[in-house]
Each structure stands twice: as structure tokens, then as C-alpha cells.
Amino acid sequence: MPSLQFWFELASTYSYPAAMRVETRAAEHGVTVDWRPFLLGPIFQAQGWNDSPFNIYPVKGRYMWRDLERVCAKEGLAMRRPSRFPRGSLVGTRVACLGATAPWGPAFVRALYHANFVEDREIGAVDVVAGVLRDLGVDAASVLEQTQGSEAKAQLRANTDEAVARGIFGAPSFLVGEELFWGNDRLDDAIAWAARS
Amino acid sequence: MPSLQFWFELASTYSYPAAMRVETRAAEHGVTVDWRPFLLGPIFQAQGWNDSPFNIYPVKGRYMWRDLERVCAKEGLAMRRPSRFPRGSLVGTRVACLGATAPWGPAFVRALYHANFVEDREIGAVDVVAGVLRDLGVDAASVLEQTQGSEAKAQLRANTDEAVARGIFGAPSFLVGEELFWGNDRLDDAIAWAARS
């Protein structure tokens, strides 16, 4: 089956509608999804930004929130602007790395985006992440203990390094072989490309 | 008839596919187009950039050229990466201001984008702009003389000031009343919004 790499950052606004739809849309075209969590922070820092560009450039940020509202409305997705942005995504992203090949992985990612962008919860907090895992029937204590291990930490660093090496500069991004697509707006194009490959 | 403001910068890459399609697509939905040329330079400078962000951030630039190629292919538009980017757009933009309410205005804008992004011509040069005008049967000498007048200069400054005041930070942008849409990807959404208004 053709496959698509879905590169996402849990704090990223436009990754939210992409994460909620990618699996269903891909399946409609016979494409499987390889979930690749990474951190945007180190990538932004390399560009000289110590915050989200949506905060650094307020005019762009104001537009983004309105646009995200429209995008979500169009896709029938709930959206409430979080009271804090961006939220820390380190713990959740390490969990997502561990879940990337587990049956609960995609559901965990979607639940965390929902917690952030619909329920306005502090997804950077360990107890919030634990609650989301428990709601999915996952052994939260065991998974969270694993996130402290060197393997989980190395996996996330490797993902972020690979993102940089492959020319990724924002989230969400999609890769089909060497072909890169950036942004929620490119989700359907990326899936069509994968289906043709 | 409902109308849509189309804000464009002649040096802007993604403004090219938008400019080529906006009038036809809008007409299909009974929407008229108000052509609003402006300069991105002063807007970028206010953000601390003295060049296109696609040059300042080469990873983003590399992606953009490949993406533009795909976008144009999808729309059936020719595209050849210009040997110089961005090209000076001052003279052409002043002409576009004068043409905004003239019958030849939209055709001039499309011809100049074609000269830049298909024919790789130096659209910043007065003789290239003059040639494009002459090909459209316009009195090039008279129009170019007008661009040196204080009225044409004031018109372009006013457009750029208005863009800033209305929250525009990139090109192309579309405005329907107070509703702002940014990017070639939002062309159809903006037209649909105008048609509903």
C-alpha cells in the first residue's frame, strides 16, 4: 500500500485540522499514514525565533486565528482559541513517538489536539497527558515512565533532526518519498501524490 | 453585483497564479474584481526584512519554488523560475494603479506576471513595461509619463498604507468587506465569501 509521512507538532495550530482528517482521507485513497511527531522549537530557534512566528508577528497571528476558525468550520471541526499559545508539547510529543507504531497512537494525537484546540486544556502538563492516555485505556503510568527513558528522548531528537535534514520548516508537513508538502492546505494534494506513487 | 478586492504585488510568486485566474473564477460566481496593486517591500521592512522571506530563509524558498511549480501545473499555467527574484516592481505597480479602472488594467497585470514568471524578463525595467503596454495597444509613452506624476505616486502610497491599515501582511490577499483571505490557496474561499455577501 502507498504511504504518506505526516509530520506534526502538537502545539501547531494548522496541524490540528490536518491531524483530525489525515487518516480518514488517506484511507479513502488507499494510503497508509506514518505518524511523525517532531518539535518546531529547535527549527524556529535556528531561524532566530524564540517564539511562534504568530506571536512574533501579531498581524499574522491575528489573521491565523480567524483563518483557522474558517478552516475548521469548513471541515466541520470544533475550534476554540486556546487561552495560551503555544503550549509546551514536549511530554505529549514523546508519548506520540512511543505511540507512533502502537494501536492507540493516532487516537492519542487526535485527543491531545482536541484537548488543546477545543477544550483549552494545558496539554504541556503531565497529568493532562496522563488523563488523555487513561481515557484511551492505555497504561498511562507505564507510558509516561518510558518517556523519561533515553530511547524515547533519542527518538524525538532523531525525528526533529530528520525533519531538518529533509527540508521541513513548519507543521504540518507531508512527505511522499522526497516530495514535500507544507501546510494543512496541501493535505489532499499530498494524499493524491502518494496514491499515484 | 458582489465584489472582491484583489491585493497583489507584481514581484510576488503566489500572486502570479492568483492574478491569472481571479477574474474568470470571480465571474463564474457573479463577483466583480477590484484590482489593488501594492508594494510588499515597505511591509516586509516594517517586519525587519530587507529582502523576500523566501531569500532570507532558503529552506522555505526552495520549498516555495517547487510548490509554485506544482500549483501552476495543477492550474494548467506555465511557469519558469525567474533568474532573478524578487524583481523590482515599482514602475509596473504604478502603471497597474493607473490601469486599475482602465479597460487594459487586468490584461496588463496578467501580461507582466507572464513576462516575469514565464518569460523571465526584467519587469523592473521601463522598456519592458513599455513593451507590454504597447502589445496591449496602450499609449505607453503617455502612461509612463503619468507614472512620474505626483498623483500616480500618491495612489500607490495610499494603496500600500491601506493594505497595512487593513491587516494585509503578504500577497496575494483578498478582502470582502472586513474579511481577509491570504494566499493563492484562499482564492476560491474568498470568491465564495463574496458571492454569499
Side-chain angles (χ1 to χ4, degrees), chain B residues 61-135:
Chain B
R62 258 194 303 280
Y63 172 78
M64 178 276 290
W65 289 112
R66 173 61 185 141
D67 187 54
L68 186 67
E69 205 168 54
R70 286 190 311 233
V71 165
C72 290
K74 196 174 170 179
E75 298 294 344
L77 292 168
M79 202 285 279
R80 180 154 57 123
R81 180 174 171 171
S83 52
R84 206 155 67 86
F85 172 80
R87 286 199 159 110
S89 53
L90 185 61
V91 179
T93 312
R94 283 195 188 137
V95 171
C97 283
L98 291 167
T101 52
W104 52 266
F108 167 76
V109 170
R110 286 188 290 261
L112 216 61
Y113 277 117
H114 193 271
N116 194 6
F117 292 108
V118 182
E119 300 167 56
D120 192 21
R121 293 169 70 195
E122 289 295 340
I123 61 152
V126 174
D127 64 320
V128 171
V129 173
V132 167
L133 283 168
R134 274 193 298 267
D135 287 348

Side-chain angles (χ1 to χ4, degrees), chain A residues 63 66 70 74 179 189, chain B residues 66 74 179-180 182 189:
Chain A
Y63 171 78
R66 174 60 185 142
R70 285 189 311 231
K74 196 174 170 180
E179 197 72 20
D189 287 340
Chain B
R66 173 61 185 141
K74 196 174 170 179
E179 198 71 21
L180 176 64
W182 171 52
D189 288 340

Side-chain angles (χ1 to χ4, degrees), chain B residues 119-161:
Chain B
E119 300 167 56
D120 192 21
R121 293 169 70 195
E122 289 295 340
I123 61 152
V126 174
D127 64 320
V128 171
V129 173
V132 167
L133 283 168
R134 274 193 298 267
D135 287 348
L136 294 167
V138 178
D139 182 343
S142 159
V143 167
L144 285 167
E145 197 191 313
Q146 282 179 71
T147 63
Q148 295 307 305
S150 56
E151 208 175 319
K153 292 179 180 178
Q155 179 58 58
L156 176 51
R157 269 197 303 273
N159 267 12
T160 302
D161 289 349

Side-chain angles (χ1 to χ4, degrees), chain A residues 27-177:
Chain A
E28 287 165 6
H29 293 81
V31 172
T32 58
V33 178
D34 179 10
W35 295 71
R36 304 298 302 265
F38 74 111
L39 294 177
L40 269 179
I43 291 176
F44 285 170
Q45 274 158 28
Q47 294 179 352
W49 301 332
N50 59 358
D51 194 353
S52 162
F54 295 127
N55 290 337
I56 296 174
Y57 306 106
V59 173
K60 208 163 173 169
R62 259 194 304 281
Y63 171 78
M64 179 276 292
W65 290 112
R66 174 60 185 142
D67 187 54
L68 186 67
E69 206 167 53
R70 285 189 311 231
V71 165
C72 290
K74 196 174 170 180
E75 299 293 344
L77 292 168
M79 203 285 278
R80 181 154 57 121
R81 180 174 171 170
S83 52
R84 205 155 67 84
F85 173 81
R87 287 199 158 112
S89 53
L90 185 61
V91 179
T93 312
R94 283 194 188 139
V95 170
C97 283
L98 290 166
T101 52
W104 52 266
F108 168 77
V109 170
R110 285 188 289 261
L112 215 62
Y113 277 116
H114 193 269
N116 193 6
F117 292 107
V118 182
E119 301 167 57
D120 193 20
R121 294 169 70 196
E122 288 296 340
I123 61 153
V126 174
D127 64 319
V128 171
V129 173
V132 167
L133 282 168
R134 275 193 299 271
D135 287 348
L136 294 168
V138 178
D139 182 342
S142 160
V143 166
L144 285 166
E145 199 192 311
Q146 282 179 68
T147 63
Q148 295 307 305
S150 56
E151 208 175 320
K153 292 179 180 179
Q155 178 59 58
L156 177 50
R157 269 197 304 273
N159 267 12
T160 303
D161 289 349
E162 187 181 338
V164 173
R166 302 193 65 183
I168 289 172
F169 54 87
S173 290
F174 309 92
L175 268 171
V176 182

Side-chain angles (χ1 to χ4, degrees), chain B residues 4-73:
Chain B
L4 170 82
Q5 288 186 345
F6 172 51
W7 291 80
F8 60 98
E9 148 72 79
L10 287 167
S12 146
T13 53
Y14 287 108
S15 293
Y16 161 55
M20 302 312 266
R21 300 180 300 135
V22 66
E23 203 164 51
T24 313
R25 295 278 179 112
E28 286 165 6
H29 293 81
V31 172
T32 57
V33 177
D34 179 10
W35 296 71
R36 304 299 301 266
F38 74 112
L39 294 178
L40 270 180
I43 292 177
F44 285 169
Q45 274 158 28
Q47 294 178 353
W49 301 332
N50 59 358
D51 194 354
S52 163
F54 294 128
N55 290 337
I56 296 174
Y57 306 107
V59 173
K60 209 164 173 167
R62 258 194 303 280
Y63 172 78
M64 178 276 290
W65 289 112
R66 173 61 185 141
D67 187 54
L68 186 67
E69 205 168 54
R70 286 190 311 233
V71 165
C72 290

